[in-house]
Amino acid sequence: MLLEQRHATGAGTGEKLISNLCADFICTLYSAARFHRGGPSSGYDFRMSGAEAVNSVVSFEEARQIVERHAAIVRAAVSRTSGTEPVELLAARGRILAEPILADRDFPPFPRATRDGYAVRAADLQEVPARLRIVAEIRAGACLESEGGSASINRGEAASIMTGAPLPAGADAVVMVEYTAEISHPNAAKDAASGWGTPGADLKSGTLGNELSLGALERFVEIRRSVQSGENFVPHGAEARAGQLLIPKGRRMDHALIGMAAAVGKSRVKVFRKPRVAVLSTGDELVGIDATPGATQIRNSNSYSLAAQVEEAGGEAVRLAIAPDEPGRLRALIEEGLSYDLLLLTGGVSMGKYDLVEPVVAELDAEFYFTGAQIQPGKPVVFGSCGGSHPHAAKDAAPRSGTLGAAAADKMATRTGVSAPHYFFGLPGNPVSTMVTFRLFAQPMVAALAGAAPEPLVFLKARLKSEVRTKTGLTRFLPAVLSGEFEHGEVELAAWQGSGDIAALARANCYLVIPPDVERVAVGEAASVLLR
Ligand code: AMP
Ligand code: MG
């Protein structure tokens, strides 16, 4: 399976972008491209004008870029001001590192054999087979010279060596044991009696007592292959030097980084506090998952899938009460949700008469960065922000206005006089749409609030198992099944009844991604796949 990394940010996401954003992007975002629908709405049949509607429905790439730009602003602020906590190393899995991890010593701290075999001088093996006298056996953990041990080889000598053991002085390569055969010197006993080849002649036992040991008989080895100088060992300090940065702040701790931290002796690491993300499901038809639904009611599964996605992204999910499709109660719950670090709404963002999310947030002086994306499923997705304080935000999280640049800060001040925008996403209520739109757009914001460095969307390539036909115009993220063996990935659509079909997602394990200009993908063609 081919691996294709695609970062949907045109401008890049480094530090430069963050600082540029504060100056340039904010102006764009908050003035020209800003789609402001604030002010009291005239009842709840508010609809944007045709021209505005066209402007605010953006392509998948544009929507992702908009989100990533806001994520960059948030990330810069979090990295400077957000609270941190120390955690046990294993508890750091999935958390975002709030301190850099440095090498506590050189890696490797000694020239480390990478094979079992014989430490040799490559120059002795210009002609093979060659016979070398074994003058030492060096095990992993053998004592170094600095610790009272020593081992060295001279011309015509070799040291039997194990993977992970320190190379003796004088050696510049290791020959794999597979290319050698140990032989006894015919005059071993005589030589031993004369002192020739006795262990300790030019070797000394170290304090560990396990680094050098030879039996009573002198031993020789026949080497059948020559080696290049430098083969089969890693030079001292080649992997990292003491004090070198190994893991930068902002990385999400996975098993590899936990291993790295363990290798430098960090049994506790400092991580960012989790942002608190409110999850607010809307809809008169919804009941709690423990309830027995009436004939036309459905269980509020979105709050749970979203909560799980929030946790996976590095946040702490707070599930609010179900909001009815009634403006007063909905507004109260939205206001509560806006007091968290981020608010995720589901449902109520389509064009139905009781889709009230947009008009209600508009009443709260919302700014809409987009009100739809040219994708399927999930087209009605909304992203915006409101002013206000963060009483429920992660403890110790400092106000964020300082990072937003003058234009944004002014904008903040003219709103509620409070520090930072309160971002919200209105995700469509259909369960597949909810999960897809979180994955594409909300995930980077949660990750940024958690202090994470940009994490690109990674698309795989797999051969299509059965033909797919679609209409052009939308980027599709269709539930699909990725199978195949080893590097021969195959993908096919999962049977589905549309974006309300949560069972299709249970059958699927990925999304098949179809670009907006593609009508047909034939069997055997390489198709893009997004793991969920
Ligand atoms: P809406 O986006 O409100 O128009 O809802 C679209 C579809 O998604 C409807 O069939 C809803 O019943 C369903 N839906 C909305 N919210 C949820 C939820 N929280 N859990 C499961 N399904 C939902
Ligand atoms: Mg609804």
Side-chain angles (χ1 to χ4, degrees):
M1 197 184 314
L2 296 172
L3 187 70
E4 171 190 290
Q5 271 217 356
R6 180 170 161 210
H7 201 170
T9 300
T13 48
E15 290 299 321
K16 192 159 171 283
L17 174 64
I18 294 171
S19 55
N20 285 348
L21 281 169
C22 295
D24 309 333
F25 169 69
I26 287 295
C27 304
T28 319
L29 198 69
Y30 283 79
S31 54
R34 182 172 150 250
F35 178 64
H36 190 195
R37 300 168 67 193
S41 72
S42 46
Y44 285 91
D45 58 349
F46 177 98
R47 292 289 176 268
M48 64 186 94
S49 75
E52 284 172 325
V54 169
N55 283 340
S56 63
V57 178
V58 295
S59 70
F60 157 63
E61 285 83 0
E62 285 170 311
R64 177 81 188 190
Q65 284 164 7
I66 289 169
V67 167
E68 288 191 355
R69 287 170 193 160
H70 283 273
I73 294 166
V74 163
R75 184 180 304 116
V78 166
S79 141
R80 281 212 306 272
T81 60
S82 187
T84 61
E85 57 185 333
V87 292
E88 296 294 325
L89 182 54
L90 272 180
R93 191 171 58 84
R95 302 291 299 271
I96 310 300
L97 199 60
E99 62 174 340
I101 302 284
L102 309 179
D104 65 328
R105 58 177 180 160
D106 293 342
F107 278 74
F110 52 86
R112 185 186 67 218
T114 57
R115 305 281 184 197
D116 297 317
Y118 291 88
V120 296
R121 294 152 37 95
D124 287 350
L125 300 178
Q126 275 164 359
E127 280 178 26
V128 284
R131 202 186 69 164
L132 303 176
R133 188 162 66 98
I134 304 171
V135 296
E137 179 183 287
I138 311 173
R139 300 161 57 167
C143 204
L144 297 174
E145 223 166 310
S146 58
E147 293 164 339
S150 80
S152 61
I153 62 168
N154 295 310
R155 207 170 145 195
E157 295 177 343
S160 162
I161 194 162
M162 316 302 146
T163 299
L167 211 67
D172 63 353
V174 172
V175 185
M176 289 165 66
V177 71
E178 289 87 333
Y179 306 129
T180 67
E182 198 177 319
I183 47 174
S184 287
H185 189 280
N187 300 319
K190 187 178 120 230
D191 287 344
S194 71
W196 188 84
T198 309
D202 52 359
L203 306 168
K204 188 172 90 197
S205 278
T207 51
L208 293 180
N210 65 347
E211 71 280 22
L212 309 170
S213 61
L214 283 176
L217 282 183
E218 183 161 50
R219 294 151 63 198
F220 286 83
V221 62
E222 184 182 84
I223 310 276
R224 295 179 187 139
R225 276 208 194 176
S226 55
V227 274
Q228 301 289 322
S229 174
E231 247 182 87
N232 297 329
F233 77 95
V234 182
H236 175 176
E239 293 162 351
R241 286 287 177 190
Q244 189 178 322
L245 177 66
L246 296 170
I247 317 176
K249 175 170 144 175
R251 289 289 302 275
R252 191 182 295 277
M253 293 296 282
D254 63 7
H255 61 271
L257 301 190
I258 284 176
M260 182 75 262
V264 299
K266 296 283 293 184
S267 54
R268 285 164 81 77
V269 292
K270 205 162 77 171
V271 296
F272 288 114
R273 285 186 191 276
K274 293 181 182 183
R276 304 191 76 206
V277 178
V279 176
L280 176 54
S281 285
T282 75
D284 285 341
E285 75 280 30
L286 301 179
V287 294
I289 65 167
D290 292 325
T292 305
T296 56
Q297 292 180 318
I298 58 157
R299 293 194 179 95
N300 172 20
S301 60
N302 286 350
S303 278
Y304 289 83
S305 61
L306 277 178
Q309 286 182 294
V310 164
E311 309 265 336
E312 284 165 11
E316 178 191 331
V318 181
R319 286 177 292 104
L320 303 185
I322 294 168
D325 295 320
E326 182 277 308
R329 177 75 181 134
L330 177 61
R331 178 177 169 141
L333 283 165
I334 288 176
E335 281 178 319
E336 184 187 341
L338 286 169
S339 69
Y340 289 84
D341 291 307
L342 178 67
L343 167 60
L344 303 177
L345 292 127
T346 79
V349 289
S350 305
M351 299 303 283
K353 191 171 172 192
Y354 298 100
D355 287 331
L356 304 176
V357 166
E358 285 179 60
V360 169
V361 287
E363 282 208 338
L364 298 169
D365 198 17
E367 294 177 24
F368 292 84
Y369 308 128
F370 56 79
T371 56
Q374 299 287 8
I375 59 171
Q376 190 227 4
K379 192 173 175 204
V381 59
V382 172
F383 176 41
S385 70
C386 298
S389 61
H390 287 77
H392 290 107
K395 252 197 265 157
D396 301 343
R400 300 192 171 113
S401 59
T403 62
L404 294 178
D410 284 356
K411 196 57 81 181
M412 299 301 166
T414 56
R415 288 198 308 226
T416 57
V418 188
S419 54
H422 290 204
Y423 289 103
F424 65 84
F425 284 90
L427 309 178
N430 272 315
V432 183
S433 310
T434 311
M435 291 184 228
V436 167
T437 49
F438 180 94
R439 175 83 174 87
L440 298 178
F441 307 121
Q443 200 277 348
M445 281 301 277
V446 177
L449 284 161
E455 296 165 324
L457 267 183
V458 175
F459 295 85
L460 312 175
K461 287 278 187 196
R463 304 264 157 233
L464 201 64
K465 247 178 144 177
S466 40
E467 183 191 68
V468 175
R469 285 179 183 272
T470 57
K471 289 189 188 138
T472 56
L474 302 176
T475 306
R476 320 244 169 198
F477 298 87
L478 308 175
V481 180
L482 183 63
S483 58
E485 277 209 308
F486 305 112
E487 75 275 28
H488 305 292
E490 291 181 324
V491 66
E492 68 182 332
L493 288 182
W496 78 323
Q497 301 295 321
S499 48
D501 186 354
I502 194 167
L505 271 193
R507 286 189 290 270
N509 58 11
C510 68
Y511 302 108
L512 178 64
V513 184
I514 312 277
D517 56 345
V518 170
E519 265 187 317
R520 172 178 175 265
V521 191
V523 175
E525 269 186 55
S528 292
V529 169
L530 178 67
L531 294 180
R532 70 172 188 228

